[in-house]
Amino acid sequence: MEAPAYYGILPANVRYDKNLKPMEKIMYSELTALSNKNGYCNATNSYFAELYEVSKNTVSLWISDLEKAGYIKTKLIYEPRTKNIKERRIFITDPITKNNDTYHEKEVDPITKNNDTPITKNREDNNTSINNTSRILKEKNIKKEKSKNEVETYINNLNLNDDYKQLLFKYVEYRKSIKKAIKTIVPIQKIIRDFPDYFSLDEAIKIAQEKEWQGLEPEWIEKHKKSKVFNNKNENKIAESKDTSHLKVDDDYIEQMKARYGF
């Protein structure tokens, strides 16, 4: 995929369309930037999902709404003589003319001065060294890495037992596994206050993993423990109610009854 231009275009008819969601308008602007060189955008839903930190389904809905509104048109390109999709191309269907800031539909044409020229003839020359999207992604990755290092450094520097710190790291990894990574030291500080000793923290983490909880709240832990005790008591009562050993009659008792009642 070609690097996007630094600037995207958001014309008035898209900007003030009340039927579009705010992110769909931003998506339109992003598509104009990505369409700058070839007249179309071939970025995947996965690319936009990572860029905007949303699901691929959400991206699909944005593109679908823009297409229904007539602002874009999508076209699937297949591998020669197969039904395998090579790429999806997204065209802007409402190009900007050179001498007018009004818009008219011209299907599957890029936003151009003419059919062969990008949005602005010299824009690519002015902006090829500036990849705004790559910069955004890079900044996000740096921020994530910084948060990760901050949490790990904080735990390592704690004046606490090594076994206890290993439990903290265990919880950090658990949060990553459920896609809810800890980004600041604040949750760690709260855990230390709420579960100050190894055994209480170990128990809390095991319960959280069992119940697939995101957080560690003392109230949740206590409620779960009480519920478990209550369930165990009920199970014991049920088991006792099924015990019929006291109803068994031995042979001596039968003989006594025979002698007493003349059987």
Side-chain angles (χ1 to χ4, degrees):
M1 188 188 71
E2 295 292 337
Y6 185 74
Y7 296 104
I9 293 178
L10 191 60
N13 59 336
V14 177
R15 193 162 65 247
Y16 299 118
D17 190 333
K18 294 182 180 180
N19 294 319
L20 292 180
K21 302 179 182 67
M23 282 305 301
E24 289 170 350
K25 298 175 183 181
I26 294 174
M27 169 66 80
Y28 178 90
S29 178
E30 188 72 31
L31 291 172
T32 65
L34 290 166
S35 301
N36 186 34
K37 183 172 182 179
N38 296 321
Y40 62 84
C41 164
N42 61 356
T44 64
N45 287 356
S46 296
Y47 170 83
F48 290 118
E50 182 179 0
L51 177 63
Y52 293 119
E53 296 185 343
V54 296
S55 70
K56 289 187 285 188
N57 286 339
T58 298
V59 173
S60 181
L61 288 173
W62 292 348
I63 293 174
S64 176
D65 286 346
L66 286 170
E67 187 166 24
K68 288 176 184 176
Y71 296 123
I72 64 171
K73 183 179 177 84
T74 60
K75 182 178 181 181
L76 298 179
I77 306 300
Y78 295 89
E79 298 285 354
R81 296 179 296 278
T82 72
K83 293 184 179 181
N84 298 326
I85 297 174
K86 180 180 179 181
E87 66 178 12
R88 175 193 63 190
R89 294 179 181 177
I90 303 175
F91 297 88
I92 305 298
T93 61
D94 224 0
I96 299 173
T97 60
K98 179 181 178 182
N99 298 318
N100 199 333
D101 58 0
T102 59
Y103 304 88
H104 57 87
E105 181 173 347
K106 187 174 182 183
E107 193 172 63
V108 303
D109 274 350
I111 301 178
T112 61
K113 173 182 174 183
N114 57 53
N115 285 345
D116 300 319
T117 314
I119 299 171
T120 303
K121 185 175 181 180
N122 296 322
R123 180 164 296 167
E124 183 183 3
D125 295 334
N126 294 336
N127 296 294
T128 51
S129 62
I130 306 173
N131 187 337
N132 191 40
T133 304
S134 296
R135 178 179 59 80
I136 292 171
L137 292 174
K138 184 177 180 181
E139 288 175 354
K140 286 179 180 178
N141 289 335
I142 291 173
K143 188 175 180 180
K144 288 179 182 178
E145 191 64 28
K146 184 178 179 182
S147 298
K148 174 184 174 183
N149 292 337
E150 179 187 10
V151 172
E152 290 183 356
T153 301
Y154 177 76
I155 295 175
N156 280 325
N157 290 336
L158 287 171
N159 187 24
L160 296 171
N161 182 278
D162 287 342
D163 290 338
Y164 185 90
K165 289 196 284 189
Q166 287 304 313
L167 281 181
L168 293 175
F169 281 121
K170 178 181 179 180
Y171 180 65
V172 169
E173 290 302 315
Y174 163 68
R175 286 286 295 270
K176 289 179 185 177
S177 71
I178 61 172
K179 310 298 183 185
K180 297 292 182 181
I182 297 176
K183 299 179 180 179
T184 71
I185 64 173
V186 175
I188 301 299
Q189 292 172 331
K190 184 178 185 304
I191 289 171
I192 295 172
R193 289 195 304 270
D194 292 340
F195 306 97
D197 63 89
Y198 176 91
F199 296 104
S200 63
L201 178 57
D202 184 46
E203 180 184 45
I205 292 174
K206 288 177 180 177
I207 292 173
Q209 290 176 322
E210 176 189 341
K211 305 297 291 184
E212 297 183 352
W213 288 340
Q214 178 179 333
L216 290 182
E217 295 294 336
E219 295 82 2
W220 300 355
I221 303 300
E222 287 305 313
K223 186 176 180 180
H224 174 75
K225 288 163 64 177
K226 289 178 181 178
S227 174
K228 201 165 185 179
V229 169
F230 177 78
N231 290 337
N232 288 340
K233 286 183 178 179
N234 282 345
E235 288 174 2
N236 290 337
K237 287 181 180 178
I238 292 172
E240 289 173 1
S241 67
K242 292 181 179 179
D243 184 5
T244 59
S245 60
H246 62 288
L247 300 177
K248 292 180 180 179
V249 179
D250 58 22
D251 293 339
D252 290 340
Y253 181 78
I254 293 174
E255 292 300 325
Q256 292 174 15
M257 291 300 102
K258 287 180 178 180
R260 177 178 299 180
Y261 297 107
F263 293 155

